[in-house]
mmCIF file of all heavy atoms in Angstrom:
data_model
loop_
_atom_site.group_PDB
_atom_site.id
_atom_site.type_symbol
_atom_site.label_atom_id
_atom_site.label_comp_id
_atom_site.label_asym_id
_atom_site.label_seq_id
_atom_site.Cartn_x
_atom_site.Cartn_y
_atom_site.Cartn_z
ATOM 1 N N VAL T 131 120.776 154.971 39.927
ATOM 2 C CA VAL T 131 119.403 154.669 39.657
ATOM 3 C C VAL T 131 118.465 155.454 40.637
ATOM 4 O O VAL T 131 118.638 155.324 41.874
ATOM 5 C CB VAL T 131 118.973 153.150 39.733
ATOM 6 C CG1 VAL T 131 117.564 152.926 39.421
ATOM 7 C CG2 VAL T 131 119.914 152.283 38.809
ATOM 8 N N ILE T 132 117.465 156.092 40.074
ATOM 9 C CA ILE T 132 116.347 156.703 40.810
ATOM 10 C C ILE T 132 115.173 155.801 40.612
ATOM 11 O O ILE T 132 114.814 155.533 39.455
ATOM 12 C CB ILE T 132 116.057 158.142 40.475
ATOM 13 C CG1 ILE T 132 117.210 159.075 40.649
ATOM 14 C CG2 ILE T 132 114.787 158.553 41.306
ATOM 15 C CD1 ILE T 132 117.048 160.469 40.223
ATOM 16 N N MET T 133 114.528 155.417 41.690
ATOM 17 C CA MET T 133 113.268 154.657 41.575
ATOM 18 C C MET T 133 112.275 155.290 42.431
ATOM 19 O O MET T 133 112.517 155.514 43.685
ATOM 20 C CB MET T 133 113.456 153.227 41.935
ATOM 21 C CG MET T 133 114.420 152.514 41.020
ATOM 22 S SD MET T 133 114.577 150.734 41.500
ATOM 23 C CE MET T 133 115.499 150.823 42.982
ATOM 24 N N THR T 134 111.016 155.477 41.967
ATOM 25 C CA THR T 134 109.914 155.929 42.769
ATOM 26 C C THR T 134 108.996 154.668 42.991
ATOM 27 O O THR T 134 108.594 154.085 42.100
ATOM 28 C CB THR T 134 109.126 157.066 42.104
ATOM 29 O OG1 THR T 134 110.062 158.167 41.753
ATOM 30 C CG2 THR T 134 107.919 157.562 42.973
ATOM 31 N N LEU T 135 108.832 154.331 44.300
ATOM 32 C CA LEU T 135 108.148 153.117 44.710
ATOM 33 C C LEU T 135 106.616 153.366 45.000
ATOM 34 O O LEU T 135 106.427 154.251 45.945
ATOM 35 C CB LEU T 135 108.789 152.474 45.817
ATOM 36 C CG LEU T 135 110.308 152.162 45.781
ATOM 37 C CD1 LEU T 135 110.810 151.449 46.999
ATOM 38 C CD2 LEU T 135 110.505 151.201 44.510
ATOM 39 N N GLY T 136 105.816 152.872 44.291
ATOM 40 C CA GLY T 136 104.347 152.873 44.565
ATOM 41 C C GLY T 136 104.088 151.655 45.471
ATOM 42 O O GLY T 136 104.997 150.806 45.743
ATOM 43 N N LYS T 137 102.827 151.568 45.944
ATOM 44 C CA LYS T 137 102.433 150.473 46.776
ATOM 45 C C LYS T 137 102.462 149.104 46.139
ATOM 46 O O LYS T 137 102.744 148.084 46.779
ATOM 47 C CB LYS T 137 101.127 150.777 47.417
ATOM 48 C CG LYS T 137 101.020 151.762 48.372
ATOM 49 C CD LYS T 137 99.740 151.928 49.059
ATOM 50 C CE LYS T 137 99.849 153.061 50.095
ATOM 51 N NZ LYS T 137 98.620 153.001 51.015
ATOM 52 N N THR T 138 102.412 149.078 44.809
ATOM 53 C CA THR T 138 102.339 147.845 44.123
ATOM 54 C C THR T 138 103.389 147.707 42.991
ATOM 55 O O THR T 138 103.574 146.608 42.324
ATOM 56 C CB THR T 138 101.000 147.437 43.530
ATOM 57 O OG1 THR T 138 100.639 148.509 42.576
ATOM 58 C CG2 THR T 138 99.973 147.406 44.632
ATOM 59 N N GLN T 139 104.022 148.883 42.640
ATOM 60 C CA GLN T 139 104.926 148.770 41.545
ATOM 61 C C GLN T 139 105.865 150.024 41.557
ATOM 62 O O GLN T 139 105.489 151.013 42.272
ATOM 63 C CB GLN T 139 104.144 148.666 40.149
ATOM 64 C CG GLN T 139 103.250 149.873 39.897
ATOM 65 C CD GLN T 139 102.430 149.645 38.701
ATOM 66 O OE1 GLN T 139 102.366 148.614 38.074
ATOM 67 N NE2 GLN T 139 101.727 150.749 38.122
ATOM 68 N N VAL T 140 106.789 149.978 40.735
ATOM 69 C CA VAL T 140 107.721 151.193 40.502
ATOM 70 C C VAL T 140 106.992 152.123 39.585
ATOM 71 O O VAL T 140 106.536 151.751 38.485
ATOM 72 C CB VAL T 140 108.966 150.770 39.861
ATOM 73 C CG1 VAL T 140 109.945 151.921 39.694
ATOM 74 C CG2 VAL T 140 109.834 149.719 40.740
ATOM 75 N N THR T 141 106.764 153.379 39.999
ATOM 76 C CA THR T 141 106.002 154.358 39.152
ATOM 77 C C THR T 141 106.895 155.165 38.308
ATOM 78 O O THR T 141 106.412 155.729 37.294
ATOM 79 C CB THR T 141 105.202 155.222 40.062
ATOM 80 O OG1 THR T 141 106.055 155.997 40.931
ATOM 81 C CG2 THR T 141 104.200 154.419 40.880
ATOM 82 N N ALA T 142 108.159 155.202 38.583
ATOM 83 C CA ALA T 142 109.197 156.069 37.712
ATOM 84 C C ALA T 142 110.545 155.562 38.039
ATOM 85 O O ALA T 142 110.839 155.063 39.142
ATOM 86 C CB ALA T 142 109.027 157.443 37.926
ATOM 87 N N SER T 143 111.456 155.687 36.971
ATOM 88 C CA SER T 143 112.748 155.233 37.225
ATOM 89 C C SER T 143 113.725 155.996 36.183
ATOM 90 O O SER T 143 113.154 156.350 35.153
ATOM 91 C CB SER T 143 112.962 153.767 37.031
ATOM 92 O OG SER T 143 112.785 153.321 35.750
ATOM 93 N N GLU T 144 114.934 156.168 36.557
ATOM 94 C CA GLU T 144 115.952 156.842 35.656
ATOM 95 C C GLU T 144 117.243 156.132 35.980
ATOM 96 O O GLU T 144 117.586 155.885 37.136
ATOM 97 C CB GLU T 144 116.038 158.275 35.868
ATOM 98 C CG GLU T 144 114.883 159.106 35.549
ATOM 99 C CD GLU T 144 115.009 160.525 35.902
ATOM 100 O OE1 GLU T 144 115.924 160.989 36.704
ATOM 101 O OE2 GLU T 144 114.026 161.288 35.462
ATOM 102 N N VAL T 145 118.043 155.909 34.967
ATOM 103 C CA VAL T 145 119.369 155.390 35.112
ATOM 104 C C VAL T 145 120.487 156.480 34.690
ATOM 105 O O VAL T 145 120.359 157.113 33.695
ATOM 106 C CB VAL T 145 119.551 154.142 34.223
ATOM 107 C CG1 VAL T 145 121.022 153.593 34.368
ATOM 108 C CG2 VAL T 145 118.565 153.167 34.573
ATOM 109 N N TYR T 146 121.530 156.594 35.501
ATOM 110 C CA TYR T 146 122.551 157.520 35.308
ATOM 111 C C TYR T 146 123.937 156.892 35.112
ATOM 112 O O TYR T 146 124.219 155.811 35.810
ATOM 113 C CB TYR T 146 122.725 158.488 36.511
ATOM 114 C CG TYR T 146 121.474 159.453 36.588
ATOM 115 C CD1 TYR T 146 120.277 159.012 37.023
ATOM 116 C CD2 TYR T 146 121.634 160.776 36.149
ATOM 117 C CE1 TYR T 146 119.208 159.894 37.049
ATOM 118 C CE2 TYR T 146 120.598 161.614 36.174
ATOM 119 C CZ TYR T 146 119.358 161.139 36.669
ATOM 120 O OH TYR T 146 118.231 162.027 36.640
ATOM 121 N N THR T 147 124.681 157.275 34.134
ATOM 122 C CA THR T 147 126.042 156.822 33.971
ATOM 123 C C THR T 147 126.889 158.019 33.553
ATOM 124 O O THR T 147 126.311 158.981 32.936
ATOM 125 C CB THR T 147 126.088 155.767 32.885
ATOM 126 O OG1 THR T 147 125.594 156.175 31.600
ATOM 127 C CG2 THR T 147 125.429 154.414 33.269
ATOM 128 N N SER T 148 128.108 158.050 33.817
ATOM 129 C CA SER T 148 129.098 159.095 33.350
ATOM 130 C C SER T 148 128.513 160.527 33.646
ATOM 131 O O SER T 148 128.781 161.415 32.834
ATOM 132 C CB SER T 148 129.365 158.972 31.846
ATOM 133 O OG SER T 148 129.858 157.697 31.602
ATOM 134 N N GLY T 149 127.876 160.640 34.747
ATOM 135 C CA GLY T 149 127.468 162.008 35.173
ATOM 136 C C GLY T 149 126.279 162.590 34.463
ATOM 137 O O GLY T 149 125.913 163.780 34.655
ATOM 138 N N ALA T 150 125.466 161.738 33.857
ATOM 139 C CA ALA T 150 124.202 162.213 33.151
ATOM 140 C C ALA T 150 123.224 161.009 33.084
ATOM 141 O O ALA T 150 123.576 159.817 33.153
ATOM 142 C CB ALA T 150 124.628 162.718 31.804
ATOM 143 N N ILE T 151 121.922 161.467 32.822
ATOM 144 C CA ILE T 151 121.004 160.449 32.607
ATOM 145 C C ILE T 151 121.329 159.758 31.381
ATOM 146 O O ILE T 151 121.707 160.264 30.426
ATOM 147 C CB ILE T 151 119.536 161.028 32.547
ATOM 148 C CG1 ILE T 151 118.526 159.951 32.602
ATOM 149 C CG2 ILE T 151 119.388 161.984 31.402
ATOM 150 C CD1 ILE T 151 117.100 160.425 32.855
ATOM 151 N N ASN T 152 121.157 158.431 31.387
ATOM 152 C CA ASN T 152 121.434 157.616 30.223
ATOM 153 C C ASN T 152 120.065 157.188 29.624
ATOM 154 O O ASN T 152 119.444 156.301 30.238
ATOM 155 C CB ASN T 152 122.247 156.326 30.558
ATOM 156 C CG ASN T 152 122.625 155.494 29.555
ATOM 157 O OD1 ASN T 152 121.878 155.231 28.603
ATOM 158 N ND2 ASN T 152 123.913 155.073 29.474
ATOM 159 N N GLU T 153 119.725 157.845 28.686
ATOM 160 C CA GLU T 153 118.304 157.698 28.135
ATOM 161 C C GLU T 153 118.032 156.241 27.660
ATOM 162 O O GLU T 153 117.054 155.656 27.938
ATOM 163 C CB GLU T 153 117.982 158.702 26.959
ATOM 164 C CG GLU T 153 118.013 160.113 27.453
ATOM 165 C CD GLU T 153 116.831 160.531 28.294
ATOM 166 O OE1 GLU T 153 115.906 159.726 28.376
ATOM 167 O OE2 GLU T 153 116.839 161.594 28.927
ATOM 168 N N ALA T 154 119.080 155.716 26.906
ATOM 169 C CA ALA T 154 118.873 154.351 26.402
ATOM 170 C C ALA T 154 118.796 153.283 27.573
ATOM 171 O O ALA T 154 117.962 152.339 27.536
ATOM 172 C CB ALA T 154 120.042 153.929 25.547
ATOM 173 N N LEU T 155 119.671 153.394 28.560
ATOM 174 C CA LEU T 155 119.589 152.465 29.708
ATOM 175 C C LEU T 155 118.278 152.710 30.558
ATOM 176 O O LEU T 155 117.744 151.734 31.100
ATOM 177 C CB LEU T 155 120.789 152.552 30.632
ATOM 178 C CG LEU T 155 121.918 151.587 30.310
ATOM 179 C CD1 LEU T 155 123.132 151.917 31.306
ATOM 180 C CD2 LEU T 155 121.584 150.207 30.279
ATOM 181 N N SER T 156 117.861 153.945 30.615
ATOM 182 C CA SER T 156 116.653 154.307 31.314
ATOM 183 C C SER T 156 115.452 153.608 30.692
ATOM 184 O O SER T 156 114.592 153.019 31.317
ATOM 185 C CB SER T 156 116.414 155.808 31.384
ATOM 186 O OG SER T 156 117.393 156.344 32.341
ATOM 187 N N ARG T 157 115.371 153.673 29.314
ATOM 188 C CA ARG T 157 114.352 152.919 28.539
ATOM 189 C C ARG T 157 114.375 151.559 28.791
ATOM 190 O O ARG T 157 113.398 150.810 28.917
ATOM 191 C CB ARG T 157 114.304 153.435 27.130
ATOM 192 C CG ARG T 157 113.821 154.817 26.771
ATOM 193 C CD ARG T 157 113.656 154.996 25.357
ATOM 194 N NE ARG T 157 114.895 154.845 24.535
ATOM 195 C CZ ARG T 157 115.810 155.834 24.387
ATOM 196 N NH1 ARG T 157 115.624 157.037 24.950
ATOM 197 N NH2 ARG T 157 116.968 155.560 23.729
ATOM 198 N N TRP T 158 115.618 150.948 28.650
ATOM 199 C CA TRP T 158 115.789 149.510 28.759
ATOM 200 C C TRP T 158 115.366 149.067 30.194
ATOM 201 O O TRP T 158 114.673 148.069 30.320
ATOM 202 C CB TRP T 158 117.205 149.137 28.526
ATOM 203 C CG TRP T 158 117.568 147.708 28.604
ATOM 204 C CD1 TRP T 158 117.411 146.760 27.749
ATOM 205 C CD2 TRP T 158 117.845 146.933 29.825
ATOM 206 N NE1 TRP T 158 117.669 145.465 28.201
ATOM 207 C CE2 TRP T 158 117.978 145.628 29.557
ATOM 208 C CE3 TRP T 158 118.191 147.386 31.158
ATOM 209 C CZ2 TRP T 158 118.372 144.554 30.487
ATOM 210 C CZ3 TRP T 158 118.415 146.512 32.118
ATOM 211 C CH2 TRP T 158 118.563 145.112 31.780
ATOM 212 N N PHE T 159 115.749 149.764 31.225
ATOM 213 C CA PHE T 159 115.373 149.504 32.553
ATOM 214 C C PHE T 159 113.892 149.535 32.765
ATOM 215 O O PHE T 159 113.276 148.666 33.400
ATOM 216 C CB PHE T 159 116.109 150.368 33.537
ATOM 217 C CG PHE T 159 115.944 150.002 34.995
ATOM 218 C CD1 PHE T 159 116.399 148.787 35.536
ATOM 219 C CD2 PHE T 159 115.410 150.869 35.959
ATOM 220 C CE1 PHE T 159 116.267 148.432 36.827
ATOM 221 C CE2 PHE T 159 115.226 150.527 37.270
ATOM 222 C CZ PHE T 159 115.739 149.328 37.703
#
Side-chain angles (χ1 to χ4, degrees):
V131 178
I132 296 174
M133 295 182 292
T134 303
L135 305 180
K137 289 188 178 190
T138 60
Q139 63 186 11
V140 177
T141 61
S143 64
E144 296 174 348
V145 178
Y146 289 75
T147 58
S148 300
I151 189 168
N152 184 316
E153 296 289 349
L155 268 180
S156 291
R157 284 189 303 276
W158 181 87
F159 187 62

